Amino acid sequence: KEISALTKIVILACGTAYHAGLIAKYAIEEWAKISVDVELASEFRYRNPILDKNSLVIAISQSGETMDTLMALRHAKEFGCKVLSICNTNSSTIPRESDAVLYTHAGPEIAVASTKAFLTQVVAAYLIGLAIAQIRGALDEEQVANQYSQLQELPAKIEQILETVEPLRTLTREFTNSSSVLFLGRNVGYPVALEGALKLKELAYMHAEGFAGGELKHGPIALIDKGTPLIAIMPIDPLLNEKMNSNVQEVKARGANVIAIAPEGINVPGATHLIRIPETSPILLPILATIPLQVFAYEMAVTRGND
Ligand code: BG6
């Protein structure tokens, strides 16, 4: 009943969880046809947001203890809205203060960096998006069933990526001394680019930036020199793929060393290196495209001698 009355969704999170929130926005808006704002908890907690009892707040946190996210959640509750959290740590503060919780059950994150937790946060967001779409009648049963079956195929596809990842490890070592690594994505691939860059900062202590493909010409292109490593997350949608391929040509013309993460069947003529991932539905791509980026950051950290 409450979901039928919803007018908007606001997602609050920090760091990696914020990137999961950005992916959630693309998925929930696409499937459930409801407006979703995603906000950094550290910004939200200090401003006057527009919320009411028909807004749903979703707080995403691996630890369930991040102070900015907790304070943002308390701030949101002052407006009378319900809070649903997506959390990995049982009985932590954020789920305890939420009206409902979806636990991600990813197991403990041993190092600080959220990796498996990130992937499960995205899956949780997909499940919420499909549930809301179903309740609101925005997708028919067949469309929902199709997305569920694609979701169920993801674990096997992830195994497949992990089995074929060795050449990526070797390739990563070529870039150990690069001063910066750039990541480019479009649509759901854009938050994946942001996350790839964040993982590299957190693990390898390297300068890295993620950009949306369409923004390239509005400044970031100036950062590209001969040999600059640029990781392009290739979209599945034909129009976006064409746009991304022209971005790849632009950066290549300036000398970038382009590593393309491309689903099967997607050609990337401008790529210097091609990392193949299996096909899936366009919205689910982040789950598969993120894995090589996590491996890249891990390998880079180890090669650079970090703990
Ligand atoms: C930061 C961590 O301090 O907190 C990030 O370095 C993490 O890796 C962020 O994404 C948010 O943490 P949590 O536990 O709220 O998901």
Side-chain angles (χ1 to χ4, degrees):
K1 216 157 120 194
E2 282 174 345
I3 284 177
S4 304
L6 277 187
T7 50
K8 75 163 172 179
I9 296 176
V10 177
I11 300 180
L12 304 173
C14 300
T16 288
Y18 172 72
H19 297 153
L22 292 175
I23 296 168
K25 174 185 168 79
Y26 284 95
I28 299 172
E29 288 195 348
E30 173 78 18
W31 291 334
K33 304 281 180 260
I34 180 164
S35 151
V36 181
D37 291 340
V38 191
E39 198 162 341
L40 292 165
S42 56
E43 284 297 314
F44 180 90
R45 63 178 284 199
Y46 296 116
R47 66 178 199 89
N48 294 317
I50 298 170
L51 292 173
D52 61 30
K53 63 177 179 32
N54 292 327
S55 318
L56 172 69
V57 166
I58 304 180
I60 310 180
S61 174
Q62 190 285 124
S63 62
E65 300 295 349
T66 300
M67 198 46 74
D68 282 324
T69 311
L70 176 62
M71 290 303 169
L73 177 162
R74 288 183 183 162
H75 189 39
K77 286 182 96 171
E78 288 166 18
F79 297 84
C81 39
K82 287 277 189 323
V83 179
L84 166 65
S85 56
I86 297 177
C87 185
N88 196 42
T89 312
N90 267 332
S91 308
S92 51
T93 312
I94 290 171
R96 274 194 281 116
E97 296 201 12
S98 303
D99 297 287
V101 55
L102 255 176
Y103 281 116
T104 45
H105 302 290
E109 284 291 4
I110 309 295
V112 171
S114 169
T115 48
K116 55 191 175 182
F118 171 74
L119 298 174
T120 55
Q121 285 163 354
V122 175
V123 172
Y126 289 146
L127 297 180
I128 292 169
L130 289 174
I132 298 177
Q134 235 169 338
I135 294 166
R136 293 168 71 93
L139 292 182
D140 63 33
E141 265 175 44
E142 197 186 320
Q143 290 168 311
V144 172
N146 180 273
Q147 293 298 333
Y148 276 127
S149 74
Q150 301 257 18
L151 268 170
Q152 279 166 337
E153 286 172 16
L154 292 177
K157 291 179 178 175
I158 291 173
E159 291 289 341
Q160 198 182 321
I161 297 172
L162 292 173
E163 278 162 20
T164 54
V165 87
E166 214 41 51
L168 175 62
R169 292 187 194 275
T170 316
L171 175 64
T172 307
R173 293 178 208 131
E174 270 183 42
F175 303 106
T176 318
N177 297 316
S178 298
S179 55
S180 168
V181 181
L182 305 179
F183 294 77
L184 208 60
R186 278 180 181 262
N187 196 269
V188 281
Y190 168 46
V192 173
L194 297 177
E195 177 57 10
L198 180 60
K199 276 305 85 112
L200 207 58
K201 290 171 194 159
E202 276 185 303
L203 302 188
Y205 309 135
M206 268 178 108
H207 177 252
E209 294 298 333
F211 303 107
E215 276 297 293
L216 193 64
K217 58 181 175 297
H218 302 300
I221 189 103
L223 294 172
I224 296 172
D225 279 330
K226 196 165 170 3
T228 303
L230 182 139
I231 302 189
I233 294 101
M234 302 306 295
I236 295 173
D237 173 86
L239 172 68
L240 294 177
N241 184 53
E242 191 188 315
K243 294 267 170 202
M244 194 65 174
N245 260 308
S246 68
N247 290 145
V248 168
Q249 296 295 351
E250 283 157 20
V251 296
K252 198 181 155 73
R254 296 186 67 117
N257 197 334
V258 180
I259 304 157
I261 312 287
E264 293 295 345
I266 301 290
N267 291 326
V268 197
T272 322
H273 306 279
L274 197 58
I275 307 293
R276 282 286 178 207
I277 56 173
E279 242 188 325
T280 183
S281 94
I283 295 270
L284 304 185
L285 181 73
I287 297 288
L288 301 179
T290 300
I291 310 275
L293 307 189
Q294 292 179 341
V295 171
F296 185 82
Y298 172 88
E299 197 60 30
M300 192 68 95
V302 172
T303 313
R304 284 164 65 98
N306 299 339
D307 182 346

